[in-house]
PDB file of all heavy atoms in Angstrom:
ATOM      1  N   ASP A1435     -27.711   6.455  -7.671  1.00  0.00           N
ATOM      2  CA  ASP A1435     -27.856   7.567  -8.547  1.00  0.00           C
ATOM      3  C   ASP A1435     -28.158   8.825  -7.684  1.00  0.00           C
ATOM      4  O   ASP A1435     -28.827   8.653  -6.569  1.00  0.00           O
ATOM      5  CB  ASP A1435     -29.055   7.486  -9.356  1.00  0.00           C
ATOM      6  CG  ASP A1435     -28.783   6.350 -10.542  1.00  0.00           C
ATOM      7  OD1 ASP A1435     -27.627   5.831 -10.566  1.00  0.00           O
ATOM      8  OD2 ASP A1435     -29.748   6.058 -11.149  1.00  0.00           O
ATOM      9  N   GLY A1436     -27.666   9.966  -8.079  1.00  0.00           N
ATOM     10  CA  GLY A1436     -27.896  11.143  -7.344  1.00  0.00           C
ATOM     11  C   GLY A1436     -26.610  11.862  -7.023  1.00  0.00           C
ATOM     12  O   GLY A1436     -25.557  11.563  -7.384  1.00  0.00           O
ATOM     13  N   LEU A1437     -26.803  12.808  -6.127  1.00  0.00           N
ATOM     14  CA  LEU A1437     -25.763  13.759  -5.767  1.00  0.00           C
ATOM     15  C   LEU A1437     -25.448  13.596  -4.276  1.00  0.00           C
ATOM     16  O   LEU A1437     -26.316  13.457  -3.398  1.00  0.00           O
ATOM     17  CB  LEU A1437     -26.189  15.243  -5.916  1.00  0.00           C
ATOM     18  CG  LEU A1437     -25.218  16.335  -5.867  1.00  0.00           C
ATOM     19  CD1 LEU A1437     -24.261  16.360  -6.908  1.00  0.00           C
ATOM     20  CD2 LEU A1437     -25.888  17.751  -5.792  1.00  0.00           C
ATOM     21  N   GLU A1438     -24.085  13.550  -4.078  1.00  0.00           N
ATOM     22  CA  GLU A1438     -23.573  13.484  -2.830  1.00  0.00           C
ATOM     23  C   GLU A1438     -22.736  14.695  -2.481  1.00  0.00           C
ATOM     24  O   GLU A1438     -21.866  15.054  -3.337  1.00  0.00           O
ATOM     25  CB  GLU A1438     -22.643  12.166  -2.619  1.00  0.00           C
ATOM     26  CG  GLU A1438     -23.330  10.874  -2.682  1.00  0.00           C
ATOM     27  CD  GLU A1438     -24.036  10.558  -1.453  1.00  0.00           C
ATOM     28  OE1 GLU A1438     -23.692  11.075  -0.365  1.00  0.00           O
ATOM     29  OE2 GLU A1438     -24.934   9.725  -1.537  1.00  0.00           O
ATOM     30  N   GLU A1439     -22.958  15.526  -1.426  1.00  0.00           N
ATOM     31  CA  GLU A1439     -22.281  16.771  -1.059  1.00  0.00           C
ATOM     32  C   GLU A1439     -21.422  16.481   0.201  1.00  0.00           C
ATOM     33  O   GLU A1439     -21.871  16.025   1.129  1.00  0.00           O
ATOM     34  CB  GLU A1439     -23.194  17.839  -1.005  1.00  0.00           C
ATOM     35  CG  GLU A1439     -24.156  17.958  -2.131  1.00  0.00           C
ATOM     36  CD  GLU A1439     -25.073  19.113  -2.054  1.00  0.00           C
ATOM     37  OE1 GLU A1439     -24.649  20.378  -1.907  1.00  0.00           O
ATOM     38  OE2 GLU A1439     -26.328  18.804  -1.872  1.00  0.00           O
ATOM     39  N   THR A1440     -20.168  16.990   0.068  1.00  0.00           N
ATOM     40  CA  THR A1440     -19.175  17.028   1.035  1.00  0.00           C
ATOM     41  C   THR A1440     -18.454  18.413   1.125  1.00  0.00           C
ATOM     42  O   THR A1440     -17.373  18.469   0.347  1.00  0.00           O
ATOM     43  CB  THR A1440     -18.212  15.768   1.132  1.00  0.00           C
ATOM     44  OG1 THR A1440     -18.898  14.636   0.907  1.00  0.00           O
ATOM     45  CG2 THR A1440     -17.458  15.762   2.295  1.00  0.00           C
ATOM     46  N   GLY A1441     -18.988  19.244   1.893  1.00  0.00           N
ATOM     47  CA  GLY A1441     -18.400  20.563   1.851  1.00  0.00           C
ATOM     48  C   GLY A1441     -18.360  21.301   0.445  1.00  0.00           C
ATOM     49  O   GLY A1441     -19.430  21.247  -0.242  1.00  0.00           O
ATOM     50  N   ARG A1442     -17.286  21.661  -0.056  1.00  0.00           N
ATOM     51  CA  ARG A1442     -17.123  22.289  -1.286  1.00  0.00           C
ATOM     52  C   ARG A1442     -17.162  21.332  -2.453  1.00  0.00           C
ATOM     53  O   ARG A1442     -17.357  21.753  -3.655  1.00  0.00           O
ATOM     54  CB  ARG A1442     -15.773  23.037  -1.440  1.00  0.00           C
ATOM     55  CG  ARG A1442     -15.675  24.256  -0.465  1.00  0.00           C
ATOM     56  CD  ARG A1442     -14.461  25.117  -0.805  1.00  0.00           C
ATOM     57  NE  ARG A1442     -13.227  24.365  -0.558  1.00  0.00           N
ATOM     58  CZ  ARG A1442     -12.271  24.029  -1.495  1.00  0.00           C
ATOM     59  NH1 ARG A1442     -12.575  24.411  -2.757  1.00  0.00           N
ATOM     60  NH2 ARG A1442     -11.155  23.418  -1.205  1.00  0.00           N
ATOM     61  N   PHE A1443     -17.080  20.100  -2.213  1.00  0.00           N
ATOM     62  CA  PHE A1443     -17.104  19.102  -3.219  1.00  0.00           C
ATOM     63  C   PHE A1443     -18.312  18.303  -3.285  1.00  0.00           C
ATOM     64  O   PHE A1443     -18.924  17.929  -2.179  1.00  0.00           O
ATOM     65  CB  PHE A1443     -15.854  18.067  -3.032  1.00  0.00           C
ATOM     66  CG  PHE A1443     -14.527  18.615  -3.081  1.00  0.00           C
ATOM     67  CD1 PHE A1443     -13.384  17.810  -2.836  1.00  0.00           C
ATOM     68  CD2 PHE A1443     -14.425  20.004  -3.564  1.00  0.00           C
ATOM     69  CE1 PHE A1443     -12.149  18.354  -2.943  1.00  0.00           C
ATOM     70  CE2 PHE A1443     -13.054  20.554  -3.619  1.00  0.00           C
ATOM     71  CZ  PHE A1443     -11.973  19.678  -3.296  1.00  0.00           C
ATOM     72  N   SER A1444     -18.824  17.994  -4.532  1.00  0.00           N
ATOM     73  CA  SER A1444     -20.063  17.226  -4.631  1.00  0.00           C
ATOM     74  C   SER A1444     -19.716  16.250  -5.715  1.00  0.00           C
ATOM     75  O   SER A1444     -18.953  16.537  -6.569  1.00  0.00           O
ATOM     76  CB  SER A1444     -21.265  18.113  -5.134  1.00  0.00           C
ATOM     77  OG  SER A1444     -21.521  19.086  -4.226  1.00  0.00           O
ATOM     78  N   SER A1445     -20.496  15.056  -5.713  1.00  0.00           N
ATOM     79  CA  SER A1445     -20.189  14.021  -6.748  1.00  0.00           C
ATOM     80  C   SER A1445     -21.577  13.495  -7.120  1.00  0.00           C
ATOM     81  O   SER A1445     -22.413  13.435  -6.256  1.00  0.00           O
ATOM     82  CB  SER A1445     -19.343  12.972  -6.232  1.00  0.00           C
ATOM     83  OG  SER A1445     -19.805  12.322  -5.093  1.00  0.00           O
ATOM     84  N   PHE A1446     -21.698  13.243  -8.364  1.00  0.00           N
ATOM     85  CA  PHE A1446     -23.062  12.758  -8.999  1.00  0.00           C
ATOM     86  C   PHE A1446     -22.773  11.553  -9.631  1.00  0.00           C
ATOM     87  O   PHE A1446     -21.774  11.277 -10.330  1.00  0.00           O
ATOM     88  CB  PHE A1446     -23.555  13.769  -9.894  1.00  0.00           C
ATOM     89  CG  PHE A1446     -24.807  13.467 -10.680  1.00  0.00           C
ATOM     90  CD1 PHE A1446     -26.037  13.625 -10.240  1.00  0.00           C
ATOM     91  CD2 PHE A1446     -24.678  12.993 -12.056  1.00  0.00           C
ATOM     92  CE1 PHE A1446     -27.134  13.152 -10.906  1.00  0.00           C
ATOM     93  CE2 PHE A1446     -25.733  12.537 -12.821  1.00  0.00           C
ATOM     94  CZ  PHE A1446     -26.989  12.676 -12.223  1.00  0.00           C
ATOM     95  N   LEU A1447     -23.746  10.711  -9.826  1.00  0.00           N
ATOM     96  CA  LEU A1447     -23.892   9.350 -10.482  1.00  0.00           C
ATOM     97  C   LEU A1447     -25.141   9.145 -11.204  1.00  0.00           C
ATOM     98  O   LEU A1447     -26.135   9.375 -10.544  1.00  0.00           O
ATOM     99  CB  LEU A1447     -23.502   8.267  -9.469  1.00  0.00           C
ATOM    100  CG  LEU A1447     -23.664   6.875 -10.140  1.00  0.00           C
ATOM    101  CD1 LEU A1447     -22.558   6.624 -11.211  1.00  0.00           C
ATOM    102  CD2 LEU A1447     -23.495   5.749  -9.082  1.00  0.00           C
ATOM    103  N   SER A1448     -25.102   8.755 -12.400  1.00  0.00           N
ATOM    104  CA  SER A1448     -26.198   8.182 -13.094  1.00  0.00           C
ATOM    105  C   SER A1448     -25.872   6.848 -13.670  1.00  0.00           C
ATOM    106  O   SER A1448     -25.015   6.654 -14.670  1.00  0.00           O
ATOM    107  CB  SER A1448     -26.602   9.177 -14.350  1.00  0.00           C
ATOM    108  OG  SER A1448     -27.584   8.459 -15.111  1.00  0.00           O
TER     109      SER A1448
END
Side-chain angles (χ1 to χ4, degrees):
Chain A
D1435 292 351
L1437 191 68
E1438 294 284 340
E1439 297 180 73
T1440 308
R1442 295 187 296 116
F1443 295 176
S1444 303
S1445 58
F1446 172 83
L1447 173 65
S1448 169

